[in-house]
Amino acid sequence: MRVIITNESEARGSAGQANKWVKNMERDNRLNVIKQTDSTYLRTLENAIQFGTPILLENIGEELDPVLEPVLQKLTFRQQVS
């Protein structure tokens, strides 16, 4: 899974062009574009982790959601289903 994070001020100018480039490059990989304010934010993030699809997290303010910390530190655990 790839996590790409941008903040609102970066969405303009060269970073805005980078967003468009990422969206174009990851289109075939089922890129999910989400914001922390989306009602399906956590579910989409969980699905991306589970299925290995890329996420573009837009409009980030000064602080990241604490739920992202283990993901960004790659602290993931595999659970066996019996």
Side-chain angles (χ1 to χ4, degrees):
M1 181 187 89
R2 292 177 288 276
V3 177
I4 304 159
I5 300 174
T6 65
N7 70 29
E8 196 167 356
S9 63
E10 289 178 343
R12 300 176 199 99
S14 62
Q17 290 175 338
N19 274 5
K20 288 180 186 178
W21 181 82
V22 167
K23 289 175 184 178
N24 186 47
M25 293 299 295
E26 295 292 339
R27 183 179 336 127
D28 294 339
N29 296 322
R30 299 182 355 205
L31 174 70
N32 286 295
V33 180
I34 58 172
K35 298 177 179 81
Q36 289 183 358
T37 56
D38 290 348
S39 61
T40 59
Y41 163 73
L42 282 178
R43 172 50 66 200
T44 304
L45 185 61
E46 289 171 359
N47 286 337
I49 292 168
Q50 182 177 359
F51 299 112
T53 57
I55 290 283
L56 175 60
L57 186 52
E58 293 184 321
N59 297 337
I60 301 300
E62 292 294 319
E63 295 184 26
L64 289 175
D65 185 341
V67 77
L68 291 172
E69 189 170 331
V71 175
L72 296 174
Q73 292 180 3
K74 297 182 181 180
L75 299 175
T76 56
F77 303 93
R78 294 183 185 259
Q79 187 176 39
Q80 287 187 328
V81 179
S82 36

